[in-house]
């Protein structure tokens, strides 16, 4: 055998290493829905934030992987004034924005990017405000335009937020997906070209993965960020394989077409667990599935009607048939594991006769017709919305209410219910920051009714006052009492019929390492790889 020169050996090893990298197995995620876009400030859906906030961007602060603790991110540290009105953030140096075919940054992340990110959401005269055709729903619903008095650039790496009044959850709010930091330089370039909205379709962030391509309704492709400030991400390539059909996702997982998937049908979990190559992880996340009743429609305007619709439902049957027991009935707008949950409010029991009596008192002795909007595929809070709708329809028929089920894709459901076309819709919410305010303010306040994010379109001044007061104090016991009082208003008014608190389940191949389930149901793949 001929000897191989040492120089040739080094070249061969390097070539082999490059070949191995070129053929490295990507991480493929079977997601449950298409994203609305790729700018967290513009949208609220969980699938959107997985595809944008968790993959492409960073925020000033972020939550620990798998937990609710607030940690430094693009801000290395922060100071809060004694009166809780000023938050000064010290920004991380040396953070680079993504370099792509459509944008080459000329500078690193700095205070200008923080100002642009937030000012576009709170000032409708800001040059970045018009980038979103649907406004800035999270910022609007949470009152940021009036809460944030001003944002000051102290220098390139210090930013001060001045608030109009104390806001207890403010720091945690900044860890939510809507607070993704965007590139001001990129936004200004798009502005000059008359392409403002492109910031949400061809995104530029500082996060672990660089957006490459989106085949609408089918696939999203990302490459690892080669200059990521935290170091090399877990995978060289990340692919979102959009698979709306919950029965198809496990099949893809078993065939190796994806490495990790979300929200299997409860009936399929045992079969997935039986596969020695797969792992199932379930946890009680901060989630609630609910039935939103459009209080602005004539047949839903009287609270007695809404109470009757709630009393007619057999939630235990829904838990058994739809969730296969992997949920518990719910009656309040907060999950029972969250602090501030009012344990003193009893769950109403199914009562057909009382429901009929309430309808008669409200002027509907023979019932009425109504629409029930529902998505066509299962998601994080409901594995089978159509079956849930059919069970609700059957229960309501017992009190003379004739519901017409209208099935549509998720993005269309969001759009049409935001516009208020529905009488009722099956919806759900997963907490974003571990604070009760995150359930009540974006979903049930007057501001969120005006924006359309409040699918019940319910506006109650007493409720608003209690929730607003709870944000202004920092004492946990005081906040808890205020939230408990707000829930009493909710249960009397019944703008929602809370249905269940579901378990959140993911399934993965055994060779997937580094994944941590989030109490917020986010799916973050920064440290995840396939071994």
């Amino acid at each position: 055998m001929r000897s191989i020169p040492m120089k040739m050996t080094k070249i061969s090893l390097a070539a082999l290493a490059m070949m191995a990298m070129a053929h490295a197995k990507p991480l493929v995620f079977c997601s449950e829905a298409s994203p609305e876009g790729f700018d967290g400030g513009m949208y609220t859906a969980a699938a959107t934030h997985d595809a944008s906030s968790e993959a492409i961007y960073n925020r000033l602060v972020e939550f620990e992987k798998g937990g609710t603790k607030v940690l430094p991110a693009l801000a290395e540290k922060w100071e809060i004034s004694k009166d809780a009105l000023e938050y000064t953030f010290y920004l991380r140096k040396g953070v680079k924005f993504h370099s792509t075919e459509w944008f080459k940054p000329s500078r690193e992340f700095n205070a200008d990017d923080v100002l642009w990110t937030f000012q576009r959401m709170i000032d409708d005269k800001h040059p970045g405000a018009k980038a979103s055709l649907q406004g800035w729903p999270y910022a609007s619903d949470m009152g940021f335009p009036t809460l944030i008095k001003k944002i000051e650039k102290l220098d390139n790496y210090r930013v001060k937020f001045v608030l109009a009044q104390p806001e207890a959850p403010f720091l945690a709010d900044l860890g939510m997906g809507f607070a993704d930091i965007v590139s001001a330089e990129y936004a200004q370039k798009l502005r000059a070209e008359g392409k403002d909205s492109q910031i949400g379709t061809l995104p530029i962030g500082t996060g672990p993965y660089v957006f490459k391509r989106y085949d609408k309704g089918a696939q999203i492709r990302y490459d690892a960020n080669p200059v990521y400030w935290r170091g090399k991400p877990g995978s060289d390539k990340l692919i979102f394989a959009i698979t709306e059909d919950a029965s198809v996702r496990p099949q893809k997982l078993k065939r190796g077409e994806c490495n990790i998937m979300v929200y299997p049908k409860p009936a399929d979990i045992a079969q997935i667990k039986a596969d020695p190559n797969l792992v199932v992880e379930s946890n009680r996340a901060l989630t609630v599935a609910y039935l939103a009743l459009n209080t602005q429609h004539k047949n839903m305007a009287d609270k007695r009607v809404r109470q009757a619709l709630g009393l007619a439902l057999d939630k235990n049957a829904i838990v058994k048939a739809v969730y296969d027991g992997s949920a518990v009935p719910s009656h309040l707008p907060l999950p029972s594991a969250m602090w501030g949950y009012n344990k003193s409010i009893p769950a109403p029991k199914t009562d057909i006769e009382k429901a009929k009596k309430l309808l008669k008192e409200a002027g509907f002795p023979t019932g009425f017709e109504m629409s029930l909007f529902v998505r066509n595929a299962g998601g994080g809070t409901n594995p089978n919305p159509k079956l849930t709708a059919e069970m609700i329809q059957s229960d309501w028929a017992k009190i003379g209410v004739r519901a017409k089920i209208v099935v549509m894709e998720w993005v269309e459901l969001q759009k049409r219910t935001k516009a208020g076309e529905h009488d009722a819709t099956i919806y759900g919410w997963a907490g974003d920051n571990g604070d009760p305010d995150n359930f009540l303010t974006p979903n049930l306040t007057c501001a969120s009714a005006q924006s359309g994010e409040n699918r019940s379109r319910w506006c109650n001044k007493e409720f608003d006052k209690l929730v607003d007061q709870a944000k202004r104090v920092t004492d946990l016991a005081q906040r808890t009492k205020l939230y408990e009082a707000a829930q009493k208003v909710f249960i009397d008014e019944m703008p929602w019929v809370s249905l269940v608190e579901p378990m959140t389940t993911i399934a993965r191949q055994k060779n997937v390492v580094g994944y941590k389930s989030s109490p917020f149901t986010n799916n973050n793949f920064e440290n995840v790889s396939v071994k």
Side-chain angles (χ1 to χ4, degrees):
M1 182 181 289
R2 289 187 303 166
S3 62
I4 301 174
M6 184 63 69
K7 186 175 181 181
M8 180 62 74
T9 303
K10 289 181 178 179
I11 293 173
S12 299
L13 288 172
L16 286 171
M18 289 179 69
M19 288 174 64
M21 287 178 66
H23 296 283
K25 189 175 182 182
L27 175 65
V28 183
F29 170 53
C30 273
S31 63
E32 84 285 10
S34 299
E36 303 148 286
F38 297 92
D39 186 324
M42 300 181 185
Y43 308 106
T44 61
T48 298
H49 286 274
D50 281 350
S52 58
S53 304
E54 300 300 323
I56 300 169
Y57 297 97
N58 296 117
R59 291 157 290 287
L60 291 175
V61 299
E62 294 178 2
F63 298 103
E64 64 178 336
K65 302 291 190 295
T68 60
K69 185 179 179 181
V70 176
L71 300 175
L74 292 181
E76 290 185 309
K77 62 179 182 177
W78 53 87
E79 295 172 351
I80 305 173
S81 63
K82 289 183 179 180
D83 60 6
L85 294 178
E86 295 183 357
Y87 289 68
T88 302
F89 292 93
Y90 295 76
L91 307 182
R92 193 175 299 276
K93 297 178 181 178
V95 177
K96 301 179 186 299
F97 280 101
H98 300 160
S99 181
T100 67
E101 295 175 8
W102 55 90
F103 179 67
K104 307 292 182 186
S106 67
R107 63 166 178 80
E108 296 177 345
F109 157 76
N110 65 30
D112 292 332
D113 305 305
V114 178
L115 265 64
W116 185 282
T117 294
F118 288 96
Q119 286 177 334
R120 66 182 184 153
M121 294 190 279
I122 65 174
D123 179 4
D124 58 11
K125 295 180 182 178
H126 186 268
K130 297 298 186 289
S132 175
L133 300 178
Q134 56 282 324
W136 308 94
Y138 255 124
S140 174
D141 296 346
M142 297 169 68
F144 269 36
T146 53
L147 171 66
I148 299 175
K149 201 172 179 180
K150 61 179 175 178
I151 310 172
E152 296 179 319
K153 175 183 175 180
L154 303 181
D155 56 43
N156 274 346
Y157 293 97
R158 287 190 304 151
V159 174
K160 181 190 287 186
F161 287 74
V162 181
L163 307 186
Q165 65 272 327
E167 181 89 353
F170 182 68
L171 188 64
D173 289 344
L174 297 185
M176 293 164 55
F178 83 97
D180 294 338
I181 301 298
V182 301
S183 164
E185 183 186 14
Y186 178 47
Q188 288 162 354
K189 174 180 179 290
L190 294 177
R191 178 78 176 153
E193 296 170 354
K195 301 176 181 177
D196 299 73
S197 62
Q198 188 173 294
I199 198 168
T201 57
L202 291 175
I204 295 293
T206 59
Y209 291 98
V210 181
F211 176 86
K212 298 298 289 183
R213 189 176 79 244
Y214 174 40
D215 299 326
K216 191 171 182 180
Q219 190 180 88
I220 314 168
R221 301 186 74 92
Y222 310 83
D223 282 350
N225 182 355
V227 292
Y228 188 44
W229 58 274
R230 281 196 183 113
K232 186 180 182 298
S235 301
D236 291 330
K237 293 185 180 296
L238 173 64
I239 299 171
F240 277 41
I242 300 164
T243 313
E244 292 191 356
D245 191 332
S247 62
V248 173
R249 291 195 292 271
Q251 296 173 24
K252 285 188 171 183
L253 186 69
K254 289 181 179 183
R255 292 195 298 262
E257 293 175 23
C258 59
N259 309 110
I260 187 167
M261 58 155 285
V262 287
Y263 316 136
K265 288 184 176 180
D268 292 339
I269 291 176
Q271 187 180 5
I272 299 171
K273 285 182 176 179
D275 190 320
N277 298 312
L278 304 179
V279 174
V280 175
E281 298 177 8
S282 297
N283 67 83
R284 179 63 55 75
L286 298 174
T287 57
V288 172
Y290 63 91
L291 179 68
L293 306 173
N294 190 340
T295 60
Q296 291 184 359
H297 283 192
K298 186 178 179 180
N299 56 356
M300 298 290 150
D302 192 315
K303 71 178 182 181
R304 291 171 295 186
V305 172
R306 304 193 296 268
Q307 291 168 350
L309 294 176
L311 288 170
L313 298 187
D314 185 346
K315 296 177 186 178
N316 288 312
I318 292 173
V319 167
K320 184 177 180 180
V322 178
Y323 296 85
D324 199 27
S326 60
V328 294
S330 173
H331 64 288
L332 293 176
L334 298 180
S336 55
M338 175 167 279
W339 67 269
Y341 179 86
N342 195 332
K343 297 177 181 178
S344 70
I345 299 176
K349 295 180 180 179
T350 304
D351 192 332
I352 298 297
E353 293 308 312
K354 185 176 180 180
K356 288 180 178 178
K357 182 181 178 183
L358 285 169
L359 281 184
K360 186 177 180 179
E361 291 175 0
F364 298 99
T366 59
F368 52 85
E369 293 183 354
M370 62 175 289
S371 64
L372 175 54
F373 284 20
V374 60
R375 69 185 289 185
N376 64 337
T381 56
N382 194 314
N384 195 333
K386 190 171 184 294
L387 175 57
T388 306
E390 289 167 349
M391 295 183 73
I392 291 170
Q393 181 187 53
S394 177
D395 286 342
W396 283 348
K398 297 171 186 176
I399 60 172
V401 173
R402 301 168 295 283
K404 179 184 178 182
I405 299 172
V406 185
V407 182
M408 62 195 74
E409 292 184 351
W410 175 229
V411 173
E412 184 184 1
L413 180 76
Q414 290 178 291
K415 181 180 178 180
R416 293 181 65 181
T417 56
K418 186 173 182 177
E421 295 180 25
H422 61 293
D423 288 319
T425 183
I426 296 172
Y427 230 73
W429 189 260
D432 295 292
N433 65 6
D435 195 287
D437 177 72
N438 179 243
F439 277 81
L440 306 182
T441 291
N443 294 308
L444 288 163
T445 57
C446 296
S448 60
Q450 188 174 2
S451 73
E453 292 299 322
N454 175 344
R455 261 59 188 188
S456 64
R457 306 179 81 85
W458 176 66
C459 176
N460 182 283
K461 291 183 179 179
E462 182 184 1
F463 180 89
D464 261 33
K465 183 179 179 181
L466 290 165
V467 171
D468 191 61
Q469 287 176 338
K471 291 191 289 187
R472 306 291 174 250
V473 296
T474 56
D475 181 77
L476 195 64
Q478 282 183 271
R479 295 190 73 204
T480 297
K481 287 181 180 179
L482 290 163
Y483 286 133
E484 287 176 345
Q487 289 165 81
K488 288 181 180 178
V489 177
F490 168 90
I491 203 70
D492 177 59
E493 287 281 323
M494 199 69 71
W496 290 358
V497 178
S498 290
L499 297 173
V500 304
E501 294 177 36
M503 296 287 287
T504 298
T505 302
I506 68 101
R508 60 176 175 81
Q509 295 175 331
K510 272 191 173 178
N511 60 346
V512 172
V513 297
Y515 179 83
K516 291 186 178 182
S517 295
S518 165
F520 310 131
T521 72
N522 297 339
N523 291 287
N524 184 288
F525 302 108
E526 179 177 331
N527 303 317
V528 183
S529 59
V530 182
K531 297 296 183 184

